[in-house]
Every structure is written in structure tokens, then in C-alpha cells.
Amino acid sequence: EKPEEVNRFILDWLDRRFPKYDRRVDRNSLSPALMSSAGRRGLYPDVEPFAQGWLPTGGPHEIFYEVCGARNGKPAVVLHGGPGGAINPTMRRFFDHSRWQVALFDQRGCGKSRPNASLEDNTTWSLIEDIERLRVHLGHESWTVFGGSWGSTLAIAYAIKHPERVDGLVLRGVFLLTQRELRWFYQDGASMLFPDAWARFQAPIPEAERGDMISAYHKRLTSPDRRIQAEAAAAWSQWEGDTISIRGPEARPSKFNEVDFAIAFARIECHFFANGGFFEEDGWLLKNIHRIRGIPGWIVQGRFDVVTPLETAWALKNAWPECRFEVVWDAGHASTEPGIVDGLIRATDEALGG
């Protein structure tokens, strides 16, 4: 039999056996080639910003931002990952430039924002204030919020606090910053899948301190000695870089090897995690998800995401059943894997409406 006839038989059987089965959940489950771009949407072409600058916050921080796309396009804001990451030109390419006006910004202490790697007045709530500050500065009544990994955390938190300002949420690699998720990635879980990378992550920490890796790293990343910071930051950042793709350490993005990026990334990320994301209680986002139920949403999740496992996106989908939910069968955490790109491009196109 031809492959397409076999596929049709399987889909018909699923419909009969499981009438409520939603094939959109695992849209690419019958794709023949692992991590192939064939038959999938790709990124939009490169685009340069038409505006950029630094936005004062009224405190020690200045936030770098840029705006690209159509000057009269539908507004969107991109929230980068981490906490502690930074924007990059690829992030502009998830949107149709002829129809979207896209704002991107480096969160406090990140990228080109000043001062670099600063932990002062750097919390989830201060970042939400910055998103609102940027929205007002650009003159938007509301906008679509696009975020992956920590960017999804911040996007959901922003939407809970300001639902009237959110036209839609496009999320990837969902992370709700719970203790369960932190234990999985930084204590016991992901270590079983990547023991080689985990050994490198453990190396700077004495065995007596390994029972609480986040606290052990926090102690070193806040040390006044930059050499101690740099050693810890390199190991912390490379652990995430080694696990971000289903290809493993060989696919580690080069930025995770850059000292300045690593110090900002590791210091800020560990600062947020050591403080439970500054949420009032563990699981705060899911407990308040009812506030966003009326907002259109799209979730694109890699089935083999080790950094932010599928369980979290599944829990969000169940608490927010109105959202569009798609699992990419051959993807991990990275936003640039072909199936993730395809899902996000289709999501931003759909979010345009009409």
C-alpha cells in the first residue's frame, strides 16, 4: 500500500476508536523525516528595525527596544527567554512584516539594556511594568504577546495582570516556573537524559552542596569575585545550551560560550529561580489562568523538550481549553527547530485574523 493510504487508514481508525481525539495536538506525528523542513513553513525574510532606543524606567535600568515591520501593522511584542537572555534578529522573522508591527526589547540587565547583568529591582513584576511602559510609549491600546520558555512565563503573567491589553498569546516551550519544573531541570530529571552534560554542570559545585544546585550556583553567581561568577556562569549556561535541542550538546548555540552573555544569563536566571519567580505561591500562574480564558491563544510545544517538558504545556492546555494546542513530534526546546518554526509561523498568521 502507498504511504498516504496507510496514513489515511490510521487517521480513520483514530476517528472511529477515539471520537474526541484531536489530531491537531500532534499535527506532525505522521511526518516521514526527522527534523525536516520539507512541507513546513519557514521563517519570514530578514527585516531591519525602523525604530530603536533606550526606554527609561524611572530607576537604575534603561531598556533597549526596537520596532520592525509595518508602521501601521497589527501590534505585537516579543518576550525573550531566560530570564537573562536577549533579543536577536531571528526573533523578528516569526512575523509577516507586511502586516505586523513588532516590538522587541531586552529585559532588565539583558542584551543592550543597561546596566548589564544587574539584579537590582529585577523581578517579574518590574518586567511587567516595563512591558506596559513600552506599550504606552509606542502608543498601542493592546497587542499580541509572543514568548517562548521564560518568555511564555512572562507573557502569561502579563496577561493575567493586564488581560485588557492582550489581543492574543503565542507561546512556545511553556514554562510556569514551578518548583516541580525547577527540580526536574536543575536537580533530578533532565540529568538522566544528559548525564554527560550534567557532569559538566555539577563540576564547579562541591559534592556537599549538590543537594541544592540552584542555591549553590546562586551563591557563586552573586559572588563579588568576577572569576567565580564567570566559572559558574559558563557551566550554568552551557547546561541549558547542551539540552536545548534534541540533537543534544553538539547543537549548543554559540552564544552560551560567550562570557558576557553567560554571566548576565546565569546571574539573572538563577536570581529569578532562587526566588521562585517572585510569585506569591508555587503554581501561581496556573491558579490564575481563569483571567486569560477569553484571550485567543496558540501553544506550540516540542514533544522532546527537556528544558520545559510537555507536562507543563499539557497542564496549561487543560486549564485553558480554548487555546490552540500543537505538539511537534520531532522537536525539543529550541525555537529554530523546523517543526517549531512551522507551528509558530502558522500561529502568528492565524493571530492576524481575517
Side-chain angles (χ1 to χ4, degrees), residues 48-65:
E48 292 299 316
F50 63 76
Q52 61 182 37
W54 279 267
L55 189 66
T57 64
H61 294 275
E62 290 182 297
I63 302 304
F64 176 78
Y65 72 92

Side-chain angles (χ1 to χ4, degrees), residues 186-318:
Y186 293 106
Q187 201 60 51
D188 186 25
S191 57
M192 291 187 283
L193 297 176
F194 292 94
D196 48 348
W198 181 254
R200 292 188 289 272
F201 180 60
Q202 284 187 314
I205 308 300
E207 190 168 349
E209 296 182 57
R210 291 178 183 174
D212 187 346
M213 294 292 282
I214 289 178
S215 293
Y217 266 98
H218 188 256
K219 174 182 173 182
R220 289 157 177 79
L221 291 166
T222 55
S223 168
D225 188 331
R226 186 172 170 84
R227 290 175 298 177
I228 293 175
Q229 281 190 31
E231 180 189 20
W236 178 282
S237 302
Q238 288 170 14
W239 164 241
E240 184 156 334
D242 285 350
T243 55
I244 204 168
S245 169
I246 60 173
R247 291 170 53 202
E250 71 174 48
R252 181 200 299 166
S254 60
K255 67 181 179 180
F256 288 103
N257 300 320
E258 299 168 7
V259 174
D260 288 341
F261 173 85
I263 288 177
F265 178 80
R267 273 173 55 82
I268 295 170
E269 189 167 66
C270 191
H271 163 69
F272 272 75
F273 295 168
N275 287 282
F278 301 94
F279 294 117
E280 297 171 13
E281 58 179 322
D282 191 31
W284 185 88
L285 289 173
L286 210 56
K287 291 172 184 176
N288 287 276
I289 213 69
H290 60 276
R291 299 201 64 193
I292 72 168
R293 290 280 300 270
I295 298 173
W298 292 260
I299 297 173
V300 179
Q301 178 75 31
R303 179 167 290 282
F304 300 104
D305 188 333
V306 171
V307 181
T308 58
L310 174 58
E311 177 185 77
T312 300
W314 185 256
L316 178 60
K317 170 201 178 288
N318 287 334

Side-chain angles (χ1 to χ4, degrees), residues 54-165:
W54 279 267
L55 189 66
T57 64
H61 294 275
E62 290 182 297
I63 302 304
F64 176 78
Y65 72 92
E66 60 180 41
V67 188
C68 63
R71 292 178 183 271
N72 296 316
K74 184 178 176 66
V77 62
V78 172
L79 306 181
H80 66 67
I87 60 174
N88 64 65
T90 301
M91 295 179 183
R92 307 170 192 157
R93 300 179 59 195
F94 287 95
F95 301 85
D96 181 345
H97 314 140
S98 68
R99 301 179 67 189
W100 285 101
Q101 182 192 126
V102 183
L104 308 90
F105 73 99
D106 287 323
Q107 295 160 27
R108 295 186 179 206
C110 303
K112 296 180 182 178
S113 289
R114 304 181 290 223
N116 183 255
S118 173
L119 305 182
E120 181 182 356
D121 193 20
N122 199 343
T123 72
T124 302
W125 313 117
S126 58
L127 298 185
I128 288 174
E129 291 173 3
D130 292 341
I131 299 171
E132 272 296 273
R133 191 173 285 112
L134 181 59
R135 181 190 62 77
V136 171
H137 177 72
L138 297 177
H140 301 315
E141 285 296 315
S142 58
W143 48 8
T144 296
V145 184
F146 177 104
S149 194
W150 158 253
S152 74
T153 318
L154 186 57
I156 295 167
Y158 173 70
I160 288 171
K161 286 293 186 179
H162 300 282
E164 74 284 358
R165 301 302 181 189

